[in-house]
Amino acid sequence: MDETQNSRTSLAKGAKDIAKEAKRQTAKNLSKAVDRASDEYSTRRSYNRFQNEDEEDNNYNTYDQRDGLYGDNAGNDEEEASSDATEGHDDEDEIYEGEYQGVPAHSDGKQRDGQVALGRPVSDSLKSRKELENERQADEEELAQQYELIMQECGHGRFQWQLFFVLGLALMSDGVEVFVVGFVLPSAETDMCVPNSGAGWLGSIVYLGMMFGAFFWGGLSDKLGRKQCLLISMSVNGFFAFLSSFVQGYSMFLVCRMVSGFGIGGAVPIVFSYFAEVLAREKRGEHLSWLCMFWMIGGIYASAMAWAIIPHYGWSFSMGSAYQFHSWRVFVVVCALPCVSAVVALTFMPESPRFFLEVGKHDEAWMVLKHIHDTNMRARGEPERVFTVNRIKIPKQLDELVEMQNESANPVLKVLFKIKTELRGIWLTFMKCFNYPVRDNTIKLAVVWFTLSFGYYGLSVWFPDVIKHLQADEYASRVKLHNSEHIEDFTFNFTLENQIHRNGVFLNDRFISMKFKAVTFIDSSFINCYFEDVSSVGSFFKNCTFVDSFFYNTDIDDAKLTNSRVINSSFHHNKTGCQMTFDDDYSAYWVYFVNFLGTLAVLPGNIVSALLMDKIGRLSMLGGSMVLSGISCFFLWFGTSESMMIFMLCLYNGLSISAWNSLDVVTAELYPTDRRGTGFGFCNAMCKLAAVLGNLIFGSLVGITKAIPILMASTVLVGGGLVGLRLPDTRANVLM
């Protein structure tokens, strides 16, 4: 028995010595193994172990893709089989199966000790910039093929769904930000006493912030990483959105919302770039389309919260007359919650492994990919499946001239220098988007993004304003006219609404605890009248005369006394600020409901685009959706009632959503990894620029004519759709 045990011990020790010697030989011939491995990746889907060519008779394992187990070519037992990356252990170095062994990502090809060995590549220092860029391009193509195989091995499962919901919260925040602008605009401008000259700036300033944010954060994500930039941008958005609910001045409110928009501007370009880089080719179109649904969810959330919160004026509180916190401010705080949730959840997610590989961080990328593989395999109930990849192709890292900063410089100067360097890097990456072969694609994508956004946001502003205009016309048609009336010694303690009083005389009358709502007094006289606790909305006194009258706790001021004379009258404890209640906006409920229906109408289009994205193709869906949206605009000629306009709004939104989803997928797939965030950010910046122009142009045409908005929207949508059909089909592409 002892002899048998000693024999086994000797045999095991000898096997360990042989294995260690094989590893040494493998290290000496690593460069040859790398060349052979590259050929294997480009010809067939297998991950062969790298070993010495001179010892091909030795036993080695190959990966069986059907079951993920290792087989011994020499017919040995599975327990006795081993590879150079998952070899057994000895007393000095314990190695477990599947553990990363620090295999170099690529051979640097540099000369050793000043000698040039026969057959070795020329040093990088002796090559031209063009040659180095060509080598990097070849490495990128090889990495793209290998990365696709790696993602197929990792599978699609729990990790992708976790990231799906986390990034969905970030995309939901972008949708909320867009809808918040429209919902708080009337209340904020009324609450802060914004004159007509300043009205409308809120909508434009937020979109301008989003435009610059999309370009900046998208470009920065190609330098610092997807996760880090998304975390910072979402944090900026959440902080300033929360802060904007407390500021009292309109100018400070504009600044906070602009910075908030600058932060959320990075959501769309980074979210789609990030998620596309952890999806296999056959899953990418469908799941990116499902991700788009969170933008719709953000719109529904904002509409529901606006309907539930803003009308409840009783939720507000005040600290004296200087600080007012009305219900619309509560709504702004609630709308910041998805952003805060996204920031918290994102801290638990890893960086994009594709970005790590792009910047030469092989080990970090390997660890993330192994985490993805192990997470999905455990969820499938197959924890024994081993991640078989031990070497991933790294693109050649090109050195760039970097201006050095003096270490003893002022800290402020260091920060400014760092910002300058990053901005220069973003600009250089942006210029690469106009280099061959992506230049034509960048121009076409910019045109499609601009035209789709111009039509969508322009009509999104025009539809509600037209509905309001129809309501206002109907409301004005019911106005009550009072001419040359004479009222003496009467107490008004009820609401006067939608009335016009001409040449009236009010003598010894009392106006106590009442409201004027859309009431206009013209050429009227108030003699010895008493006004107490009076609120007025949309009411004015034109060419009126006040004699021996007393005003206490009212909001009647010079702005409402147009060309009027005040004789021997006094004002005491006037209300400061703009007194507003929800009851004063007769159409607010209706506006929230219309936006809710318009947002909900995109649900069928989202489902259809997700299911058919990989079947009929991105370009067919993009071009077809934009052309149909443009054609649907002609039906606006028949929109003579509120119900008809709401139906047309829902139809337009339902048709156009497929174009948005397709455009997001195509943009993420067309750009290489080193400029994907920058290119996507530039296209999204064009989208927000078109939104600003659409708001201004379409908004100025409300109530004037239907012909120009209809023809303009139809033309740009059909033209953009035809340009989109000229883009290259990306359905079969791997991520470069």
Side-chain angles (χ1 to χ4, degrees), residues 456-707:
Y456 178 82
Y457 285 102
L459 290 178
S460 296
V461 171
W462 191 70
F463 272 121
D465 284 348
V466 168
I467 294 175
K468 287 183 180 180
H469 186 72
L470 293 174
Q471 291 176 335
D473 288 344
E474 182 183 359
Y475 186 75
S477 67
R478 301 195 306 265
V479 65
K480 296 179 181 180
L481 300 177
H482 301 271
N483 294 314
S484 302
E485 58 185 343
H486 184 93
I487 301 176
E488 183 177 353
D489 198 21
F490 184 81
T491 300
F492 294 87
N493 55 5
F494 48 86
T495 299
L496 297 180
E497 180 179 357
N498 199 17
Q499 299 177 6
I500 296 178
H501 298 260
R502 291 180 182 272
N503 300 315
V505 176
F506 299 86
L507 181 61
N508 297 326
D509 293 325
R510 293 164 297 279
F511 300 84
I512 301 175
S513 300
M514 57 140 343
K515 294 180 182 179
F516 292 116
K517 181 176 180 182
V519 178
T520 302
F521 295 91
I522 303 175
D523 298 323
S524 298
S525 299
F526 297 84
I527 303 172
N528 197 25
C529 293
Y530 180 79
F531 296 83
E532 179 181 354
D533 195 18
V534 176
S535 298
S536 59
V537 176
S539 300
F540 300 94
F541 299 84
K542 299 180 179 180
N543 299 320
C544 295
T545 302
F546 295 86
V547 180
D548 296 328
S549 297
F550 184 84
F551 296 84
Y552 181 83
N553 194 30
T554 70
D555 62 355
I556 300 175
D557 53 17
D558 293 339
K560 297 178 180 180
L561 301 176
T562 306
N563 297 325
S564 297
R565 295 183 301 165
V566 180
I567 302 173
N568 198 25
S569 300
S570 59
F571 295 81
H572 300 274
H573 298 286
N574 262 22
K575 296 179 180 180
T576 59
C578 297
Q579 305 302 314
M580 57 165 287
T581 67
F582 176 76
D583 295 334
D584 299 329
D585 188 358
Y586 63 91
S587 63
Y589 267 119
W590 192 243
V591 171
Y592 303 147
F593 182 67
V594 168
N595 278 277
F596 176 81
L597 290 180
T599 307
L600 192 62
V602 307
L603 179 60
N606 262 316
I607 296 175
V608 170
S609 63
L611 296 178
L612 300 182
M613 185 69 69
D614 292 318
K615 293 181 174 59
I616 68 175
R618 289 88 158 113
L619 301 185
S620 299
M621 187 168 293
L622 173 62
S625 177
M626 291 187 68
V627 171
L628 289 177
S629 299
I631 294 175
S632 70
C633 292
F634 285 101
F635 290 97
L636 295 175
W637 289 107
F638 307 101
T640 57
S641 64
E642 295 179 25
S643 58
M644 180 60 71
M645 292 301 297
I646 293 173
F647 172 77
M648 295 307 306
L649 171 64
C650 295
L651 176 63
Y652 174 76
N653 286 349
L655 291 174
S656 63
I657 190 62
S658 297
W660 284 109
N661 295 356
S662 305
L663 191 56
D664 289 330
V665 176
V666 170
T667 306
E669 292 178 334
L670 272 181
Y671 284 106
T673 303
D674 64 341
R675 70 200 84 164
R676 181 171 296 119
T678 304
F680 210 130
F682 167 69
C683 292
N684 199 249
M686 297 298 296
C687 166
K688 297 305 185 289
L689 176 61
V692 174
L693 297 178
N695 285 339
L696 297 176
I697 296 175
F698 281 79
S700 63
L701 298 174
V702 174
I704 299 177
T705 177
K706 281 186 177 181

Side-chain angles (χ1 to χ4, degrees), residues 98 155 284 387 566:
R284 193 178 305 130
F387 184 54
V566 180

Side-chain angles (χ1 to χ4, degrees), residues 26 30 32-34 36-37 40-41 44 46-53 56 59-64 68-71 73 81-87 96-101 103 153 366 386-391:
T26 301
L30 183 60
K32 295 181 180 180
V34 168
R36 194 175 77 240
E40 291 175 353
Y41 276 109
R44 59 191 180 91
S46 63
Y47 302 105
N48 291 338
R49 294 306 186 205
F50 310 115
Q51 68 236 354
N52 184 1
E53 277 187 338
E56 291 185 353
N59 296 333
Y60 63 93
N61 300 321
T62 58
Y63 177 72
D64 187 350
L69 301 178
Y70 290 91
N73 292 349
S82 64
S83 68
D84 57 357
T86 58
E87 206 168 8
Y96 298 95
E97 186 176 26
E99 184 180 356
Y100 177 53
Q101 299 300 302
V103 178
E153 179 179 344
W366 187 92
V386 177
F387 184 54
T388 62
V389 180
N390 62 1
R391 190 196 66 84

Side-chain angles (χ1 to χ4, degrees), residues 112-225:
R112 306 297 182 186
D113 299 328
Q115 299 178 358
V116 179
L118 183 63
R120 291 188 65 83
V122 181
S123 172
D124 288 348
S125 60
L126 302 179
K127 298 179 181 178
S128 66
R129 181 77 178 185
K130 186 67 175 178
E131 291 175 331
L132 294 175
E133 290 178 351
N134 291 337
E135 289 185 15
R136 179 179 173 84
Q137 180 64 25
D139 292 343
E140 288 278 8
E141 295 174 357
E142 183 178 344
L143 172 60
Q145 298 294 333
Q146 182 184 5
Y147 190 79
E148 178 64 28
L149 299 179
I150 295 174
M151 293 312 304
Q152 291 177 7
E153 179 179 344
C154 292
H156 188 91
R158 176 179 293 175
F159 176 84
Q160 280 82 2
W161 286 112
Q162 289 174 346
L163 187 61
F164 173 81
F165 287 106
V166 172
L167 296 180
L169 286 173
L171 195 59
M172 177 181 172
S173 301
D174 182 83
V176 169
E177 186 76 15
V178 171
F179 282 89
V180 164
V181 175
F183 291 153
V184 305
L185 187 60
S187 300
E189 291 178 342
T190 302
D191 187 22
M192 297 178 180
C193 303
V194 180
N196 292 333
S197 59
W201 270 105
L202 179 58
S204 299
I205 204 75
V206 171
Y207 283 123
L208 286 174
M210 297 174 75
M211 179 183 72
F212 289 107
F215 182 79
F216 176 78
W217 297 113
L220 197 63
S221 69
D222 287 331
K223 299 296 181 182
L224 302 183

Side-chain angles (χ1 to χ4, degrees), residues 233-246:
S233 66
M234 296 299 293
S235 299
V236 170
N237 169 249
F239 176 77
F240 282 94
F242 184 78
L243 183 63
S244 68
S245 66
F246 294 96

Side-chain angles (χ1 to χ4, degrees), residues 264-281:
I264 199 62
V268 171
I270 299 178
V271 161
F272 284 100
S273 299
Y274 193 172
F275 196 50
E277 291 170 356
V278 296
L279 294 173
R281 178 174 50 196

